[in-house]
Amino acid sequence: MVQFNQAHLDASFAALSDVTRRGVLEQLGRADASITDLADRFEMSLTGMKKHVGVLEQAGLVITEKVGRVRNCKLGVRGLQEVAAWIERYHQLWDARFCALDQIVEELKRKEKIDGRKKK
Amino acid sequence: MVQFNQAHLDASFAALSDVTRRGVLEQLGRADASITDLADRFEMSLTGMKKHVGVLEQAGLVITEKVGRVRNCKLGVRGLQEVAAWIERYHQLWDARFCALDQIVEELKRKEKIDGRKKK
DNA sequence: ATTAAACTGAACCATATGGTTCAGTATGAG
DNA sequence: CTCATACTGAACCATATGGTTCAGTTTAAT
């Protein structure tokens, strides 16, 4: 089984746990943007937006590059892969458990049907 | 496009951003457990573990039920689905952009090859 | 009836987070 | 050269987070 970089997972999930930052990612999904663009879009101070971008960059979810006096922000490659991998693996655990659960549910439904008939 | 419950996404991602809580989920993937079980496993006070479980439960990632004096914890259904859906949709944005990027990269490689030949 | 186990809630603590303002620095335009 | 733009860093603030201890309460076992 793959070994995950827990610190990186911490940073990535934390970065994703804020509605503004998810918004920024969505925005960058449409087009690259400067800090000013993003600050305007989300009605926030430049400094505030800079911090959000910093968090996203730390998590590898965006990449930025300073060109002249403007910092260009774009989606990063590195970030989401491990997160998606973790979710995926976790989903498997989940399914394994719910397979069992599904059977129980089916069993219950079958019984209900019978009970229903009896009550009629 | 699906509209996401942002508050719930906040809670879920935040819940997942802690290594102990991810560990708890993994543990519950193997078997249901009591608060005491989990506290022992992660070498933490009962109260501390209770808080973690509370966070996970709030996010719908676990379900608990008090049976006698012990609280039984198990994986929840409700939680991961929206998270997985968000990641999935986001992945699509990503791919769309990287498709374009790939083309650019290919283009650059092609040019480099030519330049390389010229320099020789 | 006693006692131990398992949890729960309140209070506390240190640090992190999400925001702000203010005072810079660096760069592009005229 | 001058000035506005775009960012950056420091300091601050309120609230949240991850943990603890201590003092209950409820339930199970003897």
Side-chain angles (χ1 to χ4, degrees), chain A residues 34-90:
Chain A
S34 68
I35 305 283
T36 301
D37 291 341
L38 295 170
D40 287 352
R41 187 75 180 15
F42 293 91
E43 291 172 322
M44 181 178 296
S45 68
L46 270 184
T47 313
M49 182 49 72
K50 173 85 185 315
K51 277 194 189 178
H52 280 307
V53 170
V55 171
L56 289 166
E57 192 167 18
Q58 205 65 23
L61 291 163
V62 313
I63 296 171
T64 75
E65 186 195 9
K66 188 106 181 225
V67 178
R69 60 184 168 177
V70 29
R71 177 170 296 278
N72 195 256
C73 308
K74 63 182 181 191
L75 292 183
V77 231
R78 203 187 98 232
L80 207 63
Q81 293 174 349
E82 192 160 34
V83 171
W86 191 90
I87 298 264
E88 174 51 31
R89 181 162 90 77
Y90 187 54

Side-chain angles (χ1 to χ4, degrees), chain B residues 13-38:
Chain B
F13 278 123
L16 291 171
S17 75
D18 180 278
V19 67
T20 301
R21 286 194 292 260
R22 288 195 303 275
V24 167
L25 290 179
E26 187 149 354
Q27 194 60 28
L28 295 181
R30 298 208 191 81
D32 294 356
S34 69
I35 304 283
T36 301
D37 292 340
L38 294 170

Side-chain angles (χ1 to χ4, degrees), chain B residues 8 11 21 30 40 45-46 51 62 66-67 72 76 87 91 94-95 104-105:
Chain B
H8 180 235
R21 286 194 292 260
R30 298 208 191 81
D40 287 352
S45 69
L46 269 185
K51 278 195 188 178
V62 314
K66 188 106 182 223
V67 178
N72 196 255
I87 297 264
H91 229 191
W94 210 289
D95 285 346
I104 292 166
V105 170

